[in-house]
Amino acid sequence: MKNDKMKQQYRINEQIRVREVRIVGDNGSTVVPIRQALDMARDQDVDLVEISPNANPPVCRLIDYSKFLYQQKKRQKEMKAKQVKVEVKEIRFGPQTDEHDYQFKLKHAKEFLEDGNKVRAYVFFRGRSILFKEQGEVLLLRFANDLEEYGKVEGMPSLEGKKMFLYLAPKKAGVAKKSQQARDREASATEAKESAPRQQEPQVDADMPANGGLFANAKISADALKKLTGNEE
């Protein structure tokens, strides 16, 4: 069936009813009357195949039609194989996900984005946990911030029923470069570790649940949020 459709795409030999055609080949191209082109095809025991009917004059090739169809089919397969299939991978959180689980899912999200897939992260609120929707939003913002080197946020967290979604698209293929913000964070952390190795532990907001520090360090500045959504001025 596919071969029949492909055959109908091209006119050959006497089906080509124009005054003259341009014949292209390895040695260039030449414009000749249609009768001369048909004679050339017969002399070479091949077909006259019209490959560009809208050109002026139409463009043809001298080639065995079966071989031509095989080449076209092979080219389509190669083009299809080169096309990157983008999948959407899901990452699910609870509103009080602990630090170990968070890091585990963060690692998988990095792998998904590096493979060229999109990531749909969401927080599922079960029953009365919907009261912690602000914590879910903070979690997703932290998640996006930790993945800024690998993906770009397509939209800020949004609540849909009992789920709050965040969508991330992969950045261009290649080695992920650390952003200036990430480099500054690493430099500050190193400096703080060297100058004050025994600093007092930061206090956690009493309203936040104690869950391994997941939300304690999840505050993101307004500038960072603009950067995540690509809205920097």
Side-chain angles (χ1 to χ4, degrees):
M1 185 66 69
K2 290 183 178 179
N3 288 336
D4 292 339
K5 290 182 179 180
M6 185 173 290
K7 287 181 180 180
Q8 295 173 5
Q9 293 179 2
Y10 304 97
R11 295 189 298 181
I12 64 172
N13 300 325
E14 282 75 13
Q15 295 175 354
I16 308 171
R17 299 181 179 181
V18 294
R19 292 183 58 185
E20 58 184 13
V21 295
R22 180 182 297 276
I23 298 179
V24 296
D26 296 336
N27 298 324
S29 66
T30 181
V31 177
V32 298
I34 183 63
R35 181 51 55 190
Q36 181 179 345
L38 290 171
D39 291 341
M40 293 169 63
R42 278 192 291 267
D43 292 342
Q44 298 180 32
D45 196 22
V46 293
D47 297 298
L48 181 66
V49 182
E50 185 182 57
I51 60 175
S52 183
N54 296 326
N56 187 21
V59 179
C60 298
R61 286 184 61 188
L62 295 172
I63 186 174
D64 181 85
Y65 192 41
S66 298
K67 181 179 179 181
F68 172 77
L69 293 177
Y70 172 77
Q71 291 177 348
Q72 294 298 106
K73 186 177 180 180
K74 183 178 179 181
R75 185 177 303 174
Q76 290 178 2
K77 285 184 177 180
E78 291 175 349
M79 292 177 62
K80 187 176 182 180
K82 290 181 180 179
Q83 292 178 349
V84 179
K85 185 178 180 181
V86 178
E87 297 182 6
V88 178
K89 303 291 186 177
E90 284 195 344
I91 301 290
R92 172 177 170 170
F93 293 102
Q96 298 182 12
T97 300
D98 61 43
E99 183 67 17
H100 180 269
D101 192 28
Y102 174 85
Q103 293 297 334
F104 178 78
K105 293 178 178 179
L106 180 66
K107 177 183 177 182
H108 280 287
K110 290 178 180 179
E111 294 173 352
F112 294 149
L113 292 169
E114 286 179 331
D115 290 341
N117 298 308
K118 291 188 176 184
V119 171
R120 177 170 64 183
Y122 68 94
V123 180
F124 179 70
F125 301 96
R126 188 188 303 274
R128 293 177 59 84
S129 66
I130 192 68
L131 299 174
F132 301 104
K133 61 181 180 180
E134 291 81 7
Q135 295 177 7
E137 182 177 8
V138 171
L139 185 153
L140 292 176
L141 291 176
R142 177 191 176 187
F143 189 66
N145 195 48
D146 289 342
L147 292 170
E148 62 180 344
E149 298 167 21
Y150 304 88
K152 180 179 179 181
V153 175
E154 292 189 326
M156 298 303 290
S158 60
L159 185 64
E160 300 177 18
K162 294 183 178 181
K163 297 179 181 179
M164 181 175 287
F165 290 95
L166 175 75
Y167 294 88
L168 293 162
K171 288 189 175 180
K172 292 182 179 180
V175 179
K177 296 182 179 180
K178 292 185 179 181
S179 64
Q180 185 61 47
Q181 184 182 9
R183 290 195 294 269
D184 291 343
R185 286 201 303 268
E186 290 182 359
S188 300
T190 302
E191 183 179 352
K193 188 178 295 184
E194 292 176 351
S195 61
R198 294 184 179 180
Q199 283 186 337
Q200 184 178 359
E201 293 184 1
Q203 294 182 351
V204 180
D205 191 335
D207 294 332
M208 292 292 186
N211 53 13
L214 177 59
F215 301 112
N217 300 314
K219 293 183 179 180
I220 304 175
S221 66
D223 292 340
L225 294 183
K226 291 180 180 178
K227 184 174 181 180
L228 288 174
T229 53
N231 293 327
E232 280 188 306
E233 296 181 357

